[in-house]
Amino acid sequence: MSSTTIQAIFDDDDVLLSAVKDLKAADYHIEEIFTPFPVHGLDKAAGLKNTRIAITSFIYGLIGLAFATWMMNFMMVADWPQNIGGKPSFSFAENMPAFVPIMFELTVFFAAHLMVITFYMRSKLWPFKKAENPDVRTTDDHFLLEVSTINDVKTLENLLKDMGAKEIKTKA
Amino acid sequence: MYSFSKKLKLSAIIFMITGVLGIAYGFYSAPSTIADVQEIMMHQENGHSEAQVSNTNEHIEKGEEANNEHNNENEHLTHALHALQNRPYSAVFIAMFFFFMIALGTLVFYAIQYASQAGWSIVLFRVMEGITAYLLPGSLFILAFLIISAANGHHYYVWMTPDFYNPQSEHYDEILVGKSWWLNTPFWMIRSFIYLLGWNFYRYYAVKKSLAQDASKDLTYYKKSMKASIYFLIFFFVTESMMSWDWIMSLTPHWQSTLFGWYVFSSMFVSAITVIAMVTIYLRSRGFLPKVNDSHLHDLAKFMFGFSIFWTYLWFSQFMLIWYANMPEETAYFIPRLLGNYQLLFIGMLLPNFVFPILVLMNSDYKRIPWFIISTGIIILIGHYVDIFVMITPATVGDHWNIGIPEIGSILFFLGLFIYVVFTALTKSPLLVKGNPFLKESEHFHY
């Protein structure tokens, strides 16, 4: 038996939030929610897991730090240790204060850019991507909730109406 | 209302008594004549094979005060005598300043909360007011210390030595003469008095208005507090900078750094926020702060994290600019710290003040766990004690430093006094303010 997906349109984020909570309580499966702006607390209500993007960023930062350290050590100490203005290029530690600005900036550079790229990849965003919003109004002032059910479709439609949905469509 | 627990009161009193004994021992064991110094040096030279190394550093450092060529044995011993006599004074000054700056930093944090109309911190106002109660006794101790210095009871502030200003003397010092329009004892005392008076006045006024607001039906007193906070912040940031020149930077009167005031401030501010968090967690664990939730702790821990990094930024900026250009008159300050026998403390304090907070407090979940905040807090406070120690000791005690009975005694005494004063003040008024327009927001604050 295949499941049916129903799209319900709301015009208020508070109503949407309470509808999501009630649907969760009634054990319905929420496929997707489209909103024109971030609704505070929606991820918690929908039961989404916490993002791990901060952890990836920390790791990328460490990679950047390691890269900067390796690069400065190779260039300034190992490969061609010149006397430049009397700076002690005998070992990395002795000349380290001069490398710190670069180490810092590369840490931030790696952490920031690789995290953003990770975000694009995980959320499947790229310049010529086809937009996925099911109703153009969801980018302006409407909220859309997709719920799937294998049981009685009529019951779910009535339930959504009671929760304050303005429009209900069955997904083609 | 908070009631001072018997156990805490007793331990504060025990700390104070042990501390006084430690301080007294420090003064008692300091040498009074050159003969005593000779005896101490004999002991040290038997124990340390690196005496040669430390002597070289001392010469470099001494270059400021005496002409290197004419350095005979006697002058060397006199120098050592002064350093050893300075040690108990230095120990007292560091601990005294450390706890004073916690109270002062808390006052600044409090004023910033008012001036920025922060909505989260209202439930912590009484905790902050309690901590700043230490400002007055702390100021009195500082004032007494400065008066003793000015009366030349010891060799603490070298620029006070009259020889430097006497053209007939072999110690005549043109650089100090050039600075004497600012760095002279009467003006220095007047300035210090004005700073202390200004800060204490704001504290008195703000707490008075805060209590008056409790009983008031409108916002008159809140508005007055807010205005006073803005004027205090302007006054503070000017006087704090001058205070750091006068009390700390003038210990090395040939050296100057433009960001020194900010550097001292960053150390002060992060210690103060840490203490606010620790006192809050303590009071909450005893059930006295029902309105404080994990989000308030989270915010305090974020401030601890952020200002630890701010401190590191200033520490490094001051060091790196001087290291990079390596101009002799500036580098002299960092020779004993980077290459001399303060190396371990100077570089090692990055661990408690930077590496540890950044690794422990980076995770958002850890910032809500009280024992994480407390243990990081203790490490941060130890780190900033070392920071003040490294600012002051190389100039006053030089190579004869040690963390022994005088230092630990001073810490214990001022810690006991701090706990006693702060927790006594907390019993004086209810732990939740009333009538603040942001109170509701603060009670429901969540992150």
Side-chain angles (χ1 to χ4, degrees):
Chain A
M1 211 163 116
S2 66
S3 67
T4 323
T5 304
I6 293 186
Q7 295 179 331
I9 290 181
F10 295 81
D11 59 1
D12 188 289
D13 51 339
D14 281 337
V15 180
L16 173 82
L17 202 57
S18 66
V20 168
K21 281 177 189 155
D22 293 346
L23 283 173
K24 279 307 244 191
D27 256 353
Y28 278 102
H29 179 68
I30 298 172
E31 293 279 340
E32 195 66 81
I33 307 169
F34 296 86
T35 65
F37 53 79
V39 177
H40 193 74
L42 189 60
D43 51 339
K44 281 215 176 64
L48 294 184
K49 271 187 264 170
N50 278 342
T51 170
R52 288 169 296 180
I53 201 149
I55 300 169
T56 67
S57 179
F58 181 70
I59 294 166
Y60 297 146
L62 291 183
I63 294 170
L65 182 64
F67 173 70
T69 311
W70 169 80
M71 182 177 78
M72 299 314 292
N73 184 55
F74 176 73
M75 288 177 177
M76 305 303 288
V77 179
D79 191 40
W80 197 1
Q82 284 196 102
N83 183 343
I84 303 166
K87 285 280 162 291
S89 50
F90 310 110
S91 73
F92 185 78
E94 275 173 292
N95 212 359
M96 194 233 187
F99 303 149
V100 167
I102 296 157
M103 288 157 70
F104 171 76
E105 292 296 347
L106 276 179
T107 307
V108 175
F109 180 86
F110 273 58
H113 289 81
L114 292 181
M115 179 179 80
V116 168
I117 293 168
T118 307
F119 168 73
Y120 285 154
M121 287 165 69
R122 289 292 290 152
S123 52
K124 302 193 179 66
L125 279 177
W126 64 87
F128 300 104
K129 184 191 165 70
K130 202 171 171 307
E132 283 171 356
N133 57 324
D135 190 312
V136 284
R137 288 171 299 169
T138 58
T139 61
D140 183 13
D141 61 349
H142 282 66
F143 305 82
L144 192 145
L145 191 63
E146 279 187 0
V147 200
S148 64
T149 180
I150 45 173
N151 298 322
D152 190 4
V153 177
K154 259 285 109 3
T155 324
L156 177 60
E157 281 184 358
N158 288 334
L159 189 63
L160 284 166
K161 277 222 177 76
D162 290 345
M163 286 169 182
K166 294 287 162 208
E167 258 178 69
I168 288 172
K169 293 187 283 191
T170 306
K171 195 177 177 183
Chain B
M1 290 294 266
Y2 171 68
S3 58
F4 200 165
S5 88
K6 284 238 156 53
K7 248 200 222 153
L8 193 64
K9 196 179 231 169
L10 189 67
S11 29
I13 291 169
I14 290 171
F15 283 160
M16 279 194 272
I17 293 168
T18 344
V20 168
L21 293 176
I23 293 171
Y25 172 81
F27 281 103
Y28 171 75
S29 62
S32 50
T33 62
I34 287 182
D36 294 344
V37 178
Q38 264 168 327
E39 202 175 313
I40 293 170
M41 302 280 264
M42 291 275 275
H43 274 286
Q44 276 180 343
E45 252 146 79
N46 288 341
H48 300 285
S49 53
E50 74 268 42
Q52 200 67 38
V53 181
S54 57
N55 275 346
T56 352
N57 287 329
E58 196 167 285
H59 281 299
I60 294 166
E61 205 195 347
K62 267 181 71 174
E64 297 184 342
E65 287 143 45
N67 197 340
N68 235 336
E69 323 258 315
H70 300 290
N71 232 347
N72 57 29
E73 176 67 10
N74 203 37
E75 206 163 328
H76 178 72
L77 285 173
T78 317
H79 185 74
L81 174 69
H82 289 172
L84 287 167
Q85 282 178 337
N86 265 342
R87 191 181 150 198
Y89 284 103
S90 209
V92 169
F93 183 80
I94 294 164
M96 181 174 72
F97 182 76
F98 179 72
F99 285 99
F100 172 77
M101 77 177 194
I102 288 174
L104 184 59
T106 307
L107 192 67
V108 179
F109 192 72
Y110 179 75
I112 290 174
Q113 302 306 308
Y114 261 111
S116 62
Q117 302 191 344
W120 65 280
S121 52
I122 318 301
V123 294
L124 305 172
F125 271 6
R126 281 289 143 80
V127 177
M128 295 183 215
E129 285 168 16
I131 295 171
T132 54
Y134 181 76
L135 195 71
L136 183 62
S139 307
L140 293 178
F141 270 98
I142 296 242
L143 202 60
F145 187 90
L146 298 182
I147 290 170
I148 293 170
S149 300
N152 225 358
H154 48 89
H155 307 275
Y156 202 71
Y157 289 101
V158 280
W159 55 266
M160 287 178 180
T161 316
D163 263 8
F164 292 139
Y165 307 95
N166 178 4
Q168 266 72 53
S169 164
E170 58 169 323
H171 295 301
Y172 179 70
D173 191 324
E174 269 190 341
I175 296 175
L176 288 186
V177 171
K179 290 184 180 185
S180 62
W181 64 274
W182 175 266
L183 217 52
N184 62 74
T185 312
F187 188 29
W188 180 81
M189 278 307 300
I190 292 166
R191 283 197 308 265
S192 303
F193 190 72
I194 291 170
Y195 314 149
L196 292 172
L197 197 69
W199 302 336
N200 277 289
F201 176 73
Y202 168 71
R203 197 267 161 189
Y204 171 80
Y205 183 86
V207 172
K208 204 177 156 197
K209 290 293 170 265
S210 165
L211 290 173
Q213 182 65 53
D214 272 12
S216 161
K217 292 242 185 301
D218 55 19
L219 292 178
T220 324
Y221 297 108
Y222 169 78
K223 285 177 185 160
K224 283 186 173 165
S225 278
M226 173 149 171
K227 256 187 214 153
S229 310
I230 293 165
Y231 289 124
F232 166 71
L233 286 173
I234 297 169
F235 176 77
F236 172 80
F237 281 106
V238 176
T239 49
E240 189 272 341
S241 206
M242 298 203 285
M243 173 275 276
S244 69
W245 310 334
D246 284 348
W247 297 356
I248 300 176
M249 203 157 79
S250 81
L251 290 167
T252 46
H254 278 201
W255 177 79
Q256 70 251 322
S257 163
T258 39
L259 61 68
F260 196 75
W262 284 105
Y263 174 55
V264 174
F265 170 73
S266 67
S267 200
M268 168 188 296
F269 207 50
V270 69
S271 315
I273 293 164
T274 305
V275 170
I276 297 172
M278 289 165 89
V279 174
T280 306
I281 289 170
Y282 172 78
L283 291 175
R284 194 176 79 138
S285 73
R286 295 294 149 104
F288 291 108
L289 291 172
K291 298 289 185 189
V292 174
N293 58 39
D294 286 350
S295 295
H296 292 107
L297 297 186
H298 191 136
D299 263 30
L300 284 170
K302 273 192 282 190
F303 272 112
M304 284 162 68
F305 175 78
F307 279 97
S308 286
I309 294 170
F310 179 63
W311 173 87
T312 316
Y313 170 63
L314 294 179
W315 177 91
F316 183 71
S317 300
Q318 176 171 278
F319 166 68
M320 195 264 238
L321 288 182
I322 289 173
W323 174 87
Y324 205 97
N326 200 18
M327 284 155 42
E329 73 271 23
E330 288 180 347
T331 310
Y333 180 80
F334 284 109
I335 294 269
R337 289 168 178 84
L338 182 70
L339 304 173
N341 61 9
Y342 288 90
Q343 192 175 46
L344 183 70
L345 291 185
F346 179 69
I347 297 174
M349 72 178 163
L350 279 182
L351 213 62
N353 287 349
F354 173 62
V355 178
F356 206 83
I358 205 176
L359 290 180
V360 175
L361 292 179
M362 185 167 323
N363 190 320
S364 177
D365 296 331
Y366 294 173
K367 287 199 268 268
R368 312 175 85 90
I369 304 172
W371 69 266
F372 255 100
I373 302 176
I374 292 278
S375 44
T376 321
I378 290 169
I379 287 164
I380 290 177
L381 288 180
I382 292 172
H384 285 283
Y385 175 81
V386 173
D387 184 23
I388 305 295
F389 190 86
V390 174
M391 273 184 216
I392 289 166
T393 325
T396 54
V397 185
D399 280 356
H400 305 279
W401 74 274
N402 197 356
I403 295 191
I405 293 171
E407 284 78 12
I408 292 168
S410 314
I411 296 173
L412 284 180
F413 173 73
F414 286 103
L415 175 67
L417 186 72
F418 184 83
I419 293 175
Y420 191 84
V421 171
V422 168
F423 286 89
T424 308
L426 286 169
T427 61
K428 297 276 166 64
S429 47
L431 284 177
L432 191 63
V433 294
K434 268 188 265 168
N436 187 301
F438 297 104
L439 180 61
K440 269 280 169 294
E441 182 182 338
S442 178
E443 284 173 1
H444 299 292
F445 173 70
H446 72 101
Y447 165 73

